[in-house]
Amino acid sequence: MRSLEPSLPLLARLVAAAVLLAALNGGAIGVDGYGRARRLHMKNKVQEMFYHAYDNYITYAFPHDELKPLTKSFTDSLSELGNLNLEHLPKDYNGSALTLVESLSSLVVLGNLTEFERGILWLSENLTFDVDARINLFECNIRLLGGLISAHLLAKDYSSQLKDGLYQDQLLHLAENLGNRFLPAFETPTGLPYAWINLKYGVLENETTETSTSGCGSLILEMGVLSRLTGDSRYEAAALRALRKLWSMRSSLNLVGTTLDVLTGKWIEYSSGIGAGVDSFYEYLIKAYILFGSDEYWDMFHSAYLAVQKYFRHGPWYHEADMRTGAATHWQLTSLQAFWPGLQTLLGDVAAANLSHREFYNVWQKFGVLPERYLLDYGMLHPTEKYYPLRPEFAESTFYLYQATKDPWYLEVGETIIGSLNYYTKVDGGFASVRDVSTMKLEDHQHSFFLSETCKYLFLLYDDSFLRNKNYIFTTEGHPLPIRSAWHEKFPAAHVPTNWTFVKDESQPIRVSALSSQVCPETIFQKSVGSPWESACHVPDVYVSHRCRTDDDCGIEAVTCKKRTCSMAGYCGLWLVIY
């Protein structure tokens, strides 16, 4: 791997920090007071959970898509995701083995290469996408395409431990076949893809033109990697064109909406937040920068992150707001928002991440799991969305925060999550979703992401040996993708802050944020060189006394990311803000 000499300013500094913070070079052994025996016990409990879910899937649902654990039967998720046309399917069609595809990378994380081999062989000989099935582009991208690409890369990395001649890029060939079937969805005047496409016949007549921000803005990782692996630029070009168009539709506040029309390029729903319909859009901007090193992704993310902190954040919570005005629209917690502390940890914005994470934990403790929606303004469950489908986002953020801080409290949070899952959702036939968190009545569905994400992040919380001496980012479906120099426009270099005298010189105060400087604000730099930044958007006041003559002497508030102003008494503060 080639190394680059650090230069100032250098965007890759952020990545170097993020790599260290978020276990992208994981496996560091730290003394956290938790105890090896206790850690081993929890690791084994997660292993038991994974194999209880996986073995029941293999017994009762394979090769169909997902397990129905209460009735010990199966469901073909394509029918749920996209109104599968059963009349036109081959008579021997048995589903896409979705849970198997999703489980492959987890099997490697758990060290089970034997079962990983079996999965590769079965998929190589049996999986086909030549079916008359209307599927959701976003879901098939993150689950099937992402699962195949990640497993292909892992098979190449672990080839020396597999049987000789076993792997001949079969999964990559399947991924390429699937990617080709995605391309007709992008043939629109705007370049924004249809949300639904038929795998055999492309876009159907009278297909809906409505899609979500996540649906057309969260394709770049999987399709970008597919282009790099195959040498066919069409996949990445299509995803990038869609992302650029989406970003061009942002408001003057740098906010995006939730749903839009792919033909007209007009917004349908102007209210948005960091939850359902938008979440992975933000996630893929920063992860695309880490994976591919293009400043374009960073520039988008930088502006979007500051806008989120400014207009959506209220203390530890994030409400929804109108993209045009920034005015609050819905005060609610959604379970998908729980990914945000993990994203902030990648940035090094650990204090802000910890604050929100603890609030999610409080809600988890209140109900035993995390409800799909919780109305913050009323302090009650959403009347219709009371379910918990075994989502992974809270476990994911717990994993990231532990890797960044090595605080054993996060390991105890993991114990709580594991205890709840086993107590409330474990049944004889697997793990069942919760239909109503107020009664803990169960639903007959074990989603594939329980194996690809929830169990994976909980396992890595207690055993990160899979990450040792390796750099990965995880897709929104929990599939690891390696960070490779060959994929980078600028490969991350380890930043050595050799010229930080201006930080300590009070006569030359920092007048830009950590985000603008592209350095990590927390943990690493604060400990090593006394970083002045308290958060990613924080800009210190000119004088440590916070005295001022004009607004120019005041910085940006660390928590809200709002501009501080100079009061009549001559002190900087948020004087114009009324809460």
Side-chain angles (χ1 to χ4, degrees):
M1 181 182 299
R2 66 187 180 94
S3 61
L4 301 178
E5 290 298 323
S7 60
L8 297 172
L10 181 63
L11 293 179
R13 296 179 208 162
L14 174 63
V15 181
V19 166
L20 181 58
L21 275 172
L24 301 180
N25 67 343
I29 299 175
V31 179
D32 55 26
Y34 188 77
R36 292 182 181 273
R38 189 177 176 187
R39 189 189 302 270
L40 180 61
H41 173 69
M42 297 311 301
K43 166 190 169 181
N44 290 337
K45 289 193 72 171
V46 178
Q47 272 188 310
E48 291 172 5
M49 290 169 58
F50 176 86
Y51 285 114
H52 182 69
Y54 181 81
D55 291 345
N56 274 287
Y57 163 73
I58 294 297
T59 301
Y60 299 112
F62 177 76
H64 294 271
D65 288 353
E66 291 182 322
L67 171 69
K68 299 177 74 171
L70 299 180
T71 56
K72 296 182 179 178
S73 57
F74 63 84
T75 174
D76 281 316
S77 299
L78 285 177
S79 61
E80 297 178 358
L81 298 175
N83 300 325
L84 191 63
N85 188 344
L86 298 176
E87 295 180 359
H88 295 87
L89 284 176
K91 292 182 179 180
D92 59 349
Y93 178 72
N94 290 317
S96 65
L98 176 63
T99 296
L100 174 61
V101 175
E102 291 257 71
S103 299
L104 290 178
S105 62
S106 295
L107 288 168
V108 177
V109 169
L110 270 64
N112 191 342
L113 294 182
T114 300
E115 189 65 18
F116 179 66
E117 286 182 352
R118 292 197 190 104
I120 291 175
L121 288 174
W122 189 91
L123 293 170
S124 303
E125 297 170 359
N126 296 278
L127 184 58
T128 177
F129 299 118
D130 188 28
V131 292
D132 182 7
R134 177 178 177 264
I135 55 89
N136 182 276
L137 177 67
F138 169 74
E139 294 291 349
C140 280
N141 176 71
I142 64 172
R143 296 189 186 198
L144 282 176
L145 185 61
L148 290 170
I149 289 172
S150 177
H152 161 73
L153 290 163
L154 290 170
K156 301 293 280 188
D157 288 345
Y158 286 82
S159 59
S160 64
Q161 300 178 49
L162 302 178
K163 294 178 182 176
D164 289 342
L166 170 73
Y167 190 66
Q168 300 294 329
D169 294 344
Q170 299 99 311
L171 300 183
L172 179 59
H173 298 323
L174 285 168
E176 187 173 14
N177 182 282
L178 183 59
N180 287 334
R181 298 173 188 274
F182 285 175
L183 292 178
F186 294 86
E187 296 174 2
T188 63
T190 61
L192 298 167
Y194 283 92
W196 302 91
I197 188 168
N198 185 286
L199 287 177
K200 193 177 188 72
Y201 300 112
V203 178
L204 300 178
E205 187 177 359
N206 298 320
E207 183 58 83
T208 178
T209 61
E210 182 176 345
T211 190
S212 67
T213 296
S214 290
C216 57
S218 308
L219 307 168
I220 192 63
L221 293 187
E222 294 83 359
M223 296 188 74
V225 172
L226 182 59
S227 282
R228 280 159 170 73
L229 292 174
T230 62
D232 188 337
S233 63
R234 292 180 300 160
Y235 315 113
E236 182 172 12
L240 182 55
R241 182 189 176 203
L243 182 59
R244 285 170 173 164
K245 176 59 180 178
L246 185 65
W247 183 240
S248 75
M249 295 165 56
R250 71 192 185 280
S251 71
S252 60
L253 306 179
N254 285 326
L255 297 176
V256 294
T258 303
T259 59
L260 56 140
D261 188 288
V262 301
L263 295 184
T264 65
K266 302 295 184 182
W267 290 107
I268 298 173
E269 176 55 64
Y270 292 98
S271 177
S272 72
I274 59 170
V278 190
D279 51 348
S280 54
F281 164 72
Y282 296 110
E283 178 185 3
Y284 272 33
L285 289 179
I286 183 61
K287 289 184 176 179
Y289 173 66
I290 294 173
L291 192 61
F292 303 131
S294 170
D295 290 352
E296 182 177 9
Y297 299 123
W298 171 258
D299 292 340
M300 293 183 202
F301 177 78
H302 182 186
S303 299
Y305 182 78
L306 291 179
V308 165
Q309 295 298 99
K310 184 175 182 179
Y311 295 107
F312 295 163
R313 181 169 180 163
H314 184 80
W317 298 114
Y318 290 83
H319 57 73
E320 295 179 17
D322 190 308
M323 64 173 285
R324 300 164 295 185
T325 65
T329 53
H330 302 291
W331 293 81
Q332 59 186 0
L333 169 152
T334 66
S335 62
L336 288 171
Q337 293 176 350
F339 89 99
W340 192 255
L343 178 147
Q344 290 184 307
T345 305
L346 277 174
L347 282 176
D349 216 348
V350 177
N354 175 65
L355 186 64
S356 294
H357 178 272
R358 287 177 182 266
E359 294 300 328
F360 281 110
Y361 182 53
N362 290 337
V363 176
W364 183 288
Q365 288 186 304
K366 181 176 182 178
F367 294 103
V369 293
L370 203 58
E372 189 70 2
R373 290 185 188 270
Y374 180 77
L375 304 179
L376 296 172
D377 44 354
Y378 294 101
M380 60 178 285
L381 288 171
H382 190 281
T384 60
E385 298 187 48
K386 302 178 181 180
Y387 54 88
Y388 170 67
L390 308 175
R391 290 203 187 279
E393 286 77 14
F394 183 58
E396 175 186 5
S397 287
T398 303
F399 158 70
Y400 277 117
L401 277 162
Y402 175 69
Q403 286 293 332
T405 65
K406 297 303 179 184
D407 185 340
W409 182 80
Y410 295 107
L411 300 178
E412 295 174 1
V413 172
E415 287 190 27
T416 300
I417 298 171
I418 293 165
S420 294
L421 291 172
N422 279 297
Y423 184 77
Y424 293 115
T425 73
K426 185 178 181 180
V427 295
D428 185 57
F431 284 84
S433 300
V434 178
R435 176 171 293 178
D436 186 338
V437 302
S438 63
T439 63
M440 288 299 174
K441 184 177 180 179
L442 298 178
E443 182 176 352
D444 197 12
H445 198 169
Q446 178 182 286
H447 290 273
S448 61
F449 54 67
F450 180 71
L451 288 160
S452 70
E453 298 184 80
T454 308
C455 289
K456 180 184 285 136
Y457 287 122
L458 289 172
F459 183 86
L460 288 171
L461 182 63
Y462 299 100
D463 183 353
D464 60 5
S465 56
F466 167 75
L467 299 165
R468 190 165 296 140
N469 301 319
K470 299 173 184 176
N471 289 340
Y472 289 104
I473 58 105
F474 292 93
T475 70
T476 196
E477 196 69 7
H479 298 303
L481 298 174
I483 300 174
R484 292 182 170 178
S485 59
W487 293 354
H488 263 253
E489 293 185 12
K490 292 191 304 182
F491 190 69
H495 173 60
V496 180
T498 57
N499 185 21
W500 279 64
T501 56
F502 66 93
V503 171
K504 302 175 183 178
D505 186 351
E506 292 187 5
S507 66
Q508 299 181 40
I510 297 295
R511 303 304 297 146
V512 294
S513 67
L515 275 178
S516 297
S517 299
Q518 287 81 45
V519 298
C520 182
E522 276 278 5
T523 305
I524 299 172
F525 293 105
Q526 216 167 39
K527 289 181 178 179
S528 62
V529 296
S531 166
W533 292 294
E534 298 174 11
S535 75
C537 59
H538 175 232
V539 176
D541 297 332
V542 169
Y543 303 104
V544 293
S545 63
H546 307 295
R547 294 300 300 268
C548 56
R549 296 184 180 87
T550 69
D551 289 348
D552 291 339
D553 294 333
C554 303
I556 304 294
E557 209 274 335
V559 175
T560 65
C561 297
K562 294 179 179 178
K563 181 74 173 71
R564 291 158 62 85
T565 58
C566 189
S567 71
M568 294 181 64
Y571 285 92
C572 292
L574 295 177
W575 310 116
L576 300 181
V577 179
I578 300 175
Y579 292 102

